[in-house]
Structure formats: C-alpha cells, structure tokens
Amino acid sequence: MTKLDRAKFTKEVTVPSVEILSKNVGKSMSVFKKYLLKMEKLKPVTEVQGNDEKRKLLLDPILFETLDKLREDDQQKLSELDINKNCFSNSCLHLEYHNFRMDDIFKAVLPEGKEGCTSYSRIGHIIHLNLRDHLLPYKNLIGEVLVDKLIGVKTVVNKSSAIDSTYRNFQMEVLAGEADFVTEVKENMCTFKFDFSQVYWNSRLCTEHERIIKLLPQKSVLFDVFAGVGPFSIPAAKVRKCRVFANDLNPSSYHWLKENVRLNKVENVETFNLDGRQFIREQMPPFLLTRPTEPIHVTMNLPALAVEFLDAFIGLLSGVELDPLLDITVHVYSFCEESSAFSEMRTKVESALKHSIEDEQIVELVDVRDVSPKKHMLRLSFRIPPDVLTKAAEEETSSEPKRLKLDLETQDR
C-alpha cells in the first residue's frame, strides 16, 4: 500500500474476554492488567449488557490463552474472587482504522524485512522526517498516518537536501497536512517561535542546550557566535541572568532571535546579524577592554565550520597587557570520525588557534551525539590561552603550533 486506504483496516475479530463482578474489577487487575487488549479508542473494560453488577474485560489473544495457562498463584487469586473458567468466553469486535496504533499500521503496510519509520523529530506541530530511500515510495502514506495518529500534528515534512552551511537551513517536502512552518517550541523554561523552513532547529540538541546553560555561572557574559533563534542565548539571559551578545548571519534566524527576546521578555540580550568572524573581531574587543570581572563564555555551535572561525581570536587583543588575565571559556563544536574523535577534535582546535592547549585549560570534551554510525558531533570546552589573544599581528602566520602530548582517555567524555 503506497496510498493510504483506511477502509482496508476494517475487520471483525474475536478476542478472549472475562465477565466479573464490578466490585472485583480493581482487585483482579493484579492478574489481568498485563493481558488487557490495548487498542486506540477502545476501552478494555466495558459494561455487560443487561447486567449492571458485572463488567467485561477484553483480553489480548496474543498474550492470553486460557485460565489454566496462568501461573498457579494467579489462578489462586482469581479463585478467591470467584472467577473460574465459566466466566471466560469469546467476544466479537468491529475494528476500524482509528483503533490501530501507528506502529501497527506501519508494520502492516511498509516493506517487510526492512527498517520502518522508526524515528522522527517533533518541532511544535511539525514532524520532521529524514526517510531512507526504500521508504520514499510510501512517503505520503507515512505523512498521513503521522497526522492521523499524533495529537497536535498538522504538518509532516521530509528533508530533501543537505543542510546549507551558510544559513543552516535545508529544502523540505511537505508529505501531509498544511504547509505551515511557523511553529513554537518550549525548551529550558523558554518559548521559541520560528519558521522551521528558514532556520536551523534540532530537537535532539535539547540536552546539550541544557548542559551549556548549567555550565554558565549566574550573571556571567555569553557571546553566542552562531546563535540561531536563541536556544543558548535566551535561557542564558532568562534563567542564568547572563549578559548576552547573540549573533547569526541568517537574516531569518536574526529576525526570530529578536522575536524570541521579546517573547521571553529578556532585556539583557544584544542581537547582531553579522558573519561569525566579524562578530568576534568587532564586538568582543570593546567589551574585553573594559576589563570585565565576570566569567566570559563563547558558544560556537556550527559543527560543519565552527573550528575554522577560531582564528578570529588570534591577536584579538594584540598589544594589550592582560592584567588580570581574562577568564574566557570557548565551547566549540565539530564533526569527527568515530575511531579518532577525541584526538581529532583537539588537533583541529589547536591547528585553528596555531597554539597548543594545556591540560588544565580543557574544561571538558563531550561526545554530544551520533550523527551517523561513523560520524560524531563533539564539543570541546576550553579556556582560551592568553597568548592567543595578545599575539602580535606579524606572528599570526608564523610557526606551526607546538603539539602537546595528551592521554585523551583521561578526559571527561
């Protein structure tokens, strides 16, 4: 079935059932609960026609066979409630499409022996799929079933192109429902509104967003280089009371970032629509030259390219004496191969900075998530070496960074 035919799911079935006194239904559940027939919009405990003192329990024919197949202790419990083999019978049920669970429908219509529609992301009223090739002939059917079966879902889309590294959005195809891409998501005690077709949002990063927010000290300072619609910036300002400088190059992301600042009623966020390197070079020095005493954090969540932007820190405060030293922690993300992910991540960062990172400068090295079986998204959080910031301009293209040997197995993963 490549076109959803709901009528095909209409059928008459016979299932085992048991009639018991209404007053004993609760007591009998210690035995029957695991055998109850579980289908959508179907109550497993029903009235017995013409007898107000009894109830009928519908049982799953796959799980329940006969009374004598139950464990002896369960049989004893039922005997004490005067439930014997004469209480059992078969009941005929009329089932339709609305009675079947989503997984059962997919199992019935999708190719046998191949992976089904096992995962999706939900973004407000939108379901986002990334279907494998063998499921593409069934894409519209899959979309219709998801709209039918998931409460509050109005739109189902399938990713039809790779993510654009410049603006971090991608082409999508509407499989079912309305072509309405403006949605709202609640995360980390904040509300985010955005046009999913024009910006980047990944619900699977919710835990990582929360981890970073917890790392930020109260009333610290955050420079969010690739802020998107604000999943780091907004809760940092609202929950941790940080002063935030939030930037994104994508005009749509910038628009919704400003809207989310307004929506969440945060006042300590300044927003920018600049290239990431330009943002670091132009917005950080004036603030750093005020000699702030608060801890400063920099988030760089653009895994495909973020490491390349680290060179913007080289010579950022050239000719300036840092006394006292500034406390700047950078959280940078990148994709790495599974086999050498941790060593690769550190090498990438040191190469971009043209400087080694001491063990004590590393806060943590985290495997954020598996992108594919051999590709991981990692975050390296480290305190930026002062020598990088004060390096003279003529030194920026000089010698290769000194490499520091490190037993990566000792790092916090």
Side-chain angles (χ1 to χ4, degrees), residues 293-395:
T293 56
E294 310 94 329
I296 300 162
H297 287 253
V298 182
T299 45
M300 302 179 71
N301 184 18
L302 181 63
L305 295 172
V307 169
E308 297 177 20
F309 286 77
L310 288 172
D311 64 359
F313 289 101
I314 300 175
L316 192 65
L317 298 176
S318 179
V320 177
E321 282 193 30
L322 297 182
D323 186 21
L325 297 177
L326 295 171
D327 181 8
I328 304 176
T329 302
V330 176
H331 310 276
V332 63
Y333 296 81
S334 186
F335 296 127
C336 298
E337 293 296 320
E338 179 188 33
S339 58
S340 59
F342 291 96
S343 58
E344 181 185 346
M345 183 66 181
R346 181 165 182 165
T347 300
K348 280 183 177 182
V349 171
E350 290 186 330
S351 179
L353 291 174
K354 295 182 168 58
H355 198 286
S356 61
I357 303 172
E358 303 292 337
D359 287 4
E360 58 270 20
Q361 291 169 332
I362 292 181
V363 178
E364 59 182 6
L365 189 52
V366 178
D367 190 341
V368 177
R369 70 185 187 96
D370 297 350
V371 179
S372 66
K374 294 185 178 180
K375 184 179 180 182
H376 288 231
M377 176 180 172
L378 270 71
R379 166 172 53 86
L380 179 62
S381 295
F382 66 97
R383 292 184 175 85
I384 196 160
D387 290 350
V388 171
L389 299 174
T390 58
K391 182 178 288 189
E394 62 269 19
E395 295 178 17

Side-chain angles (χ1 to χ4, degrees), residues 198-217:
Q198 298 295 321
V199 306
Y200 179 80
W201 181 274
N202 190 336
S203 300
R204 293 185 173 96
L205 292 178
C206 175
T207 301
E208 175 61 13
H209 296 155
E210 185 178 5
R211 273 196 292 252
I212 289 294
I213 300 309
K214 288 181 177 178
L215 280 176
L216 300 176

Side-chain angles (χ1 to χ4, degrees), residues 222-233:
L222 174 65
F223 284 86
D224 196 354
V225 183
F226 310 108
V229 299
F232 289 133
S233 295

Side-chain angles (χ1 to χ4, degrees), residues 35-286:
Y35 298 111
L36 291 178
L37 182 64
K38 296 174 183 176
M39 300 196 73
E40 293 189 355
K41 299 183 180 179
L42 181 71
K43 294 180 180 179
V45 181
T46 64
E47 296 180 352
V48 176
Q49 193 170 1
N51 191 335
D52 294 338
E53 295 183 353
K54 286 190 173 183
R55 292 291 183 270
K56 179 187 288 186
L57 274 59
L58 302 176
L59 307 175
D60 190 322
I62 296 175
L63 302 176
F64 182 85
E65 295 182 46
T66 58
L67 177 62
D68 57 8
K69 292 291 182 68
L70 295 178
R71 293 182 336 204
E72 288 188 14
D73 58 330
D74 284 342
Q75 292 184 46
Q76 180 61 35
K77 291 177 184 177
L78 296 181
S79 177
E80 293 171 0
L81 298 173
D82 292 325
I83 301 174
N84 53 55
K85 63 181 182 180
N86 295 325
C87 300
F88 290 84
S89 63
N90 289 323
S91 294
C92 185
L93 299 179
H94 176 77
L95 300 178
E96 297 182 6
Y97 171 80
H98 65 262
N99 295 125
F100 290 91
R101 292 176 295 182
M102 183 173 69
D103 292 344
D104 293 329
I105 294 172
F106 285 147
K107 192 183 230 181
V109 301
L110 295 180
E112 193 173 355
K114 290 188 177 181
E115 182 184 357
C117 184
T118 56
S119 65
Y120 55 83
S121 297
R122 180 161 183 170
I123 309 96
H125 69 270
I126 301 170
I127 293 293
H128 170 219
L129 300 170
N130 190 4
L131 295 176
R132 295 182 180 274
D133 289 344
H134 72 274
L135 291 177
L136 292 179
Y138 308 88
K139 61 186 180 182
N140 297 111
L141 179 150
I142 291 170
E144 287 186 67
V145 173
L146 289 167
V147 170
D148 287 343
K149 295 298 179 179
L150 296 177
I151 297 172
V153 169
K154 298 178 182 178
T155 308
V156 178
V157 300
N158 185 45
K159 179 179 176 182
S160 57
S161 70
I163 292 176
D164 177 353
S165 294
T166 305
Y167 286 161
R168 291 197 292 177
N169 53 12
F170 55 86
Q171 297 298 312
M172 59 182 71
E173 177 186 8
V174 177
L175 303 184
E178 309 166 6
D180 177 11
F181 303 121
V182 177
T183 188
E184 285 192 11
V185 175
K186 293 190 183 299
E187 181 181 288
N188 291 320
M189 295 181 281
C190 299
T191 299
F192 299 94
K193 186 176 182 180
F194 50 86
D195 184 336
F196 183 59
S197 68
Q198 298 295 321
V199 306
Y200 179 80
W201 181 274
N202 190 336
S203 300
R204 293 185 173 96
L205 292 178
C206 175
T207 301
E208 175 61 13
H209 296 155
E210 185 178 5
R211 273 196 292 252
I212 289 294
I213 300 309
K214 288 181 177 178
L215 280 176
L216 300 176
Q218 285 283 339
K219 297 184 178 180
S220 55
V221 178
L222 174 65
F223 284 86
D224 196 354
V225 183
F226 310 108
V229 299
F232 289 133
S233 295
I234 304 298
K238 186 174 182 177
V239 180
R240 307 300 281 178
K241 309 301 179 187
C242 297
R243 180 178 178 184
V244 177
F245 299 82
N247 173 72
D248 203 275
L249 178 63
N250 182 344
S252 292
S253 295
Y254 175 63
H255 166 78
W256 291 109
L257 174 63
K258 291 192 295 181
E259 173 63 13
N260 290 326
V261 169
R262 184 197 66 78
L263 192 63
N264 289 277
K265 300 178 180 178
V266 289
E267 299 178 353
N268 46 339
V269 178
E270 295 180 50
T271 57
F272 303 87
N273 182 207
L274 302 170
D275 169 75
R277 191 174 279 103
Q278 182 184 0
F279 171 68
I280 293 170
R281 284 287 187 178
E282 292 182 1
Q283 300 305 319
M284 288 192 70

